[in-house]
Amino acid sequence: VVEADTSTSLSGTHSGGGDAADGAHHDGAPFEDLGLAVDGDLNAGGIAADALGATQMSAAQSIESCKVNLMSMSHKDKLAFFENHPQCQYLNQCEAMLEPTNTSSQVKVLQNSFLFRYSEEIRYSHMAMIAQLPSKLFVAAWQAAPSAGNETRMRLGVEGLDQQHLLISHSRDEAGVMWSSPQKVPLRNQGSLWSPVLHVDRRGMLWLFYSESVGCRKAVPCKNCPYPPCELKDTSALCHMDPKLWVPGGDIKVVTSVGDPVRNAWSPARTLLAQSEHGGIPKVISNSVTVLATGEWLLPYWREQAKSAIPDDGCVRSSETNTSECILKDGGPCMTGAEESAGVLRSDDEGATWKAYGAVTSVYTSLIEGSLVELRNSSLFMVFRSTTGCLFSAISLDKGITWKDPVTMAVPNPNSKVQMMKLEPGGELLLAFNNHRPPGTYRGLRACKACRTRLHIALSEDNGDTWRHVHSLD
């Protein structure tokens, strides 16, 4: 499933390739259409170019010298920076592009169709997920919401409303040409629902993972800022937005289908990981469950701390002073200071019980929306959305319990979600991604503020070390 916005290869550095390798947010367009693309066979090939080595410096010195705001620098200034700081050369991969070549048109699109278009009732559709049932039919789910109902720009669509829910639809044929009208998933929830993840187990049961907001709302300075982005100071008094919006994530939950999944009947929800655990920070998911060759289930997730958040039932705006008692620097139960990080939820008993592992972090960027595969050498390879202009990746050698430090990839990323999968039987990796850098940056798109377009597909034959462009979906 792809989201349609209506508004040759360079080397990586994770060293995950080969059979003996040891391994080295939610803010989409206001409204989106959802479409389906089914792809055929791929041929492979590519050219690799090695990254420059780092100079002999201590780890602490190297990190400090590379902590600069590359996104705000001109291309000329970046060239000078990397020339004077060779130890930071690996960050130069964020300047890379995966350009189409003469061999790029090797994917045959069998058919494509819309499964849903936004309407007067639904003005926001985001985070789509697809799975195939034992019947060979497809099922898709996504988060959706109506208009905020006011005269601000949020009338077009906004995430975090109380009415944000999950929609589900089923294909009426094996090719995914015709789809049922979306139905609301009947979940008993208090907060917004986020990021449905679908998984079909070996018995044919459909699992629906999601996260639910708990207790924390987005906040803005009480004065002169109806909605973000807003200038925040340590002394800023914080108030609720109008309308009140939930922060992304919260408790990670799961339900399973009862009877035929087409019935849209579900078991009672189970909480797999609560927001209250690990420092009281919201937990979020967005990508597929991976079942390892040895049977373990792994669900990527991350911990996301809102920059400004306040309790749902607190921080009431005074009608006399137009302010509240909540001050940014004081923190609070919705800004606990817990560290943001990424990891996995792992089940060793086919979903009966789950445990959280890993705390992947980077000093250069947040790492969210991880997509995970098991490589041919049994190590795990996870790629992340970032704010640096390119993807990051990390390797685990112990089935997700611990992770090596993340590194940059020579694949552009405009701060948007990607999806990776392993092809069978050869084990090649396929990556769907937005092939451009963030707007306003070198090689970024012009004349748009938050574009996510140029939806392309890349292929890797060496466990993610190198990638080459193989198809442009738009």
Side-chain angles (χ1 to χ4, degrees):
V1 167
V2 298
E3 296 183 4
D5 186 352
T6 56
S7 28
T8 253
S9 172
L10 295 176
S11 70
T13 56
H14 73 81
S15 299
D19 291 333
D22 59 358
H25 149 336
H26 325 289
D27 53 343
F31 48 86
E32 296 158 310
D33 294 338
L34 302 183
L36 174 71
V38 182
D39 299 325
D41 294 333
L42 297 167
N43 293 319
I47 302 172
D50 292 332
L52 297 178
T55 58
Q56 297 298 318
M57 298 178 63
S58 70
Q61 288 175 319
S62 178
I63 289 175
E64 288 303 315
S65 64
C66 298
K67 289 174 65 174
V68 295
N69 186 6
L70 293 174
M71 298 293 286
S72 65
M73 297 169 62
S74 68
H75 182 53
K76 181 179 179 180
D77 289 340
K78 287 179 182 178
L79 292 177
F81 172 79
F82 289 121
E83 181 178 355
N84 296 324
H85 298 80
Q87 73 276 10
C88 308
Q89 187 61 232
Y90 71 96
L91 289 174
N92 200 13
Q93 289 197 102
C94 288
E95 301 297 298
M97 295 291 287
L98 286 183
E99 301 289 357
T101 66
N102 293 334
T103 60
S104 289
S105 299
Q106 297 175 345
V107 174
K108 180 181 179 182
V109 177
L110 302 180
Q111 68 84 24
N112 61 74
S113 61
F114 284 105
L115 62 88
F116 176 77
R117 290 178 182 266
Y118 78 96
S119 62
E120 289 302 317
E121 292 75 30
I122 299 297
R123 306 298 288 178
Y124 167 82
S125 295
H126 193 40
M127 304 299 281
M129 170 71 67
I130 193 169
Q132 190 172 35
L133 300 171
S135 63
K136 303 300 183 182
L137 300 179
F138 293 99
V139 57
W142 62 96
Q143 63 194 44
S147 166
N150 56 26
E151 296 305 316
T152 71
R153 65 180 180 180
M154 291 190 291
R155 70 185 184 278
L156 298 177
V158 63
E159 64 181 27
L161 290 171
D162 287 340
Q163 302 95 321
Q164 185 169 305
H165 56 279
L166 304 183
L167 290 178
I168 193 166
S169 176
H170 298 82
S171 70
R172 299 189 184 281
D173 54 78
E174 295 182 9
V177 176
M178 301 297 294
W179 289 80
S180 65
S181 297
Q183 292 181 294
K184 182 178 179 179
V185 180
L187 300 170
R188 296 182 178 180
N189 61 293
Q190 299 297 320
S192 288
L193 300 180
W194 305 84
S195 307
V197 170
L198 298 172
H199 174 67
V200 180
D201 67 20
R202 60 184 179 85
R203 299 166 296 174
M205 181 180 292
L206 180 63
W207 296 63
L208 172 59
F209 301 85
Y210 62 96
S211 57
E212 179 181 346
S213 296
V214 180
C216 294
R217 300 273 191 170
K218 295 180 180 179
V220 294
C222 294
K223 298 182 178 180
N224 304 320
C225 186
Y227 45 78
C230 308
E231 181 182 0
L232 286 169
K233 300 179 180 179
D234 287 346
T235 56
S236 295
L238 301 179
C239 286
H240 289 280
M241 299 176 66
D242 181 21
K244 295 170 69 173
L245 299 177
W246 294 98
V247 301
D251 295 343
I252 297 177
K253 297 185 174 183
V254 67
V255 293
T256 53
S257 59
V258 176
D260 189 336
V262 176
R263 294 178 54 222
N264 195 23
W266 304 89
S267 67
R270 288 192 291 140
T271 298
L272 306 184
L273 184 62
Q275 176 174 299
S276 58
E277 299 182 58
H278 307 153
I281 186 171
K283 318 300 190 298
V284 204
I285 59 176
S286 72
N287 270 318
S288 304
V289 171
T290 295
V291 179
L292 304 186
T294 48
E296 296 87 354
W297 293 11
L298 272 71
L299 173 64
Y301 85 103
W302 72 98
R303 308 169 182 92
E304 182 172 329
Q305 185 76 70
K307 293 182 179 179
S308 57
I310 52 181
D312 176 39
D313 56 356
C315 306
V316 178
R317 186 190 297 266
S318 168
S319 59
E320 297 180 356
T321 63
N322 193 30
T323 186
S324 81
E325 76 281 6
C326 298
I327 307 300
L328 179 63
K329 66 179 181 181
D330 295 338
C334 294
M335 293 185 291
T336 64
E339 184 179 36
E340 295 185 318
S341 63
V344 296
L345 292 177
R346 195 178 93 168
S347 174
D348 297 339
D349 49 17
E350 297 187 312
T353 60
W354 296 80
K355 187 175 181 180
Y357 292 100
V360 185
T361 62
S362 170
V363 298
Y364 309 107
T365 176
S366 58
L367 299 174
I368 67 174
E369 297 178 351
S371 186
L372 172 70
V373 295
E374 183 179 21
L375 300 178
R376 287 171 291 190
N377 59 12
S378 298
S379 63
L380 305 183
F381 178 53
M382 185 154 54
V383 299
F384 303 96
R385 164 183 168 180
S386 84
T387 60
T388 62
C390 66
L391 296 178
F392 274 61
S393 66
I395 288 283
S396 173
L397 303 178
D398 53 13
K399 300 182 181 181
I401 296 176
T402 61
W403 293 84
K404 293 185 177 294
D405 291 337
V407 296
T408 55
M409 296 172 60
V411 179
N413 180 246
N415 196 14
S416 65
K417 178 184 173 180
V418 300
Q419 173 68 34
M420 180 174 58
M421 63 182 296
K422 184 171 69 172
L423 302 181
E424 299 295 351
E428 301 91 345
L429 305 183
L430 199 67
L431 180 73
F433 68 110
N434 296 114
N435 197 4
H436 63 91
R437 292 170 47 75
T441 64
Y442 173 63
R443 288 180 172 169
L445 299 183
R446 298 181 179 181
C448 76
K449 295 182 179 180
C451 291
R452 295 173 181 173
T453 185
R454 297 181 183 171
L455 184 59
H456 293 180
I457 297 175
L459 182 75
S460 174
E461 289 189 297
D462 52 13
N463 285 346
D465 277 339
T466 62
W467 296 85
R468 69 182 182 91
H469 180 282
V470 293
H471 189 69
S472 299
L473 285 169
D474 70 357

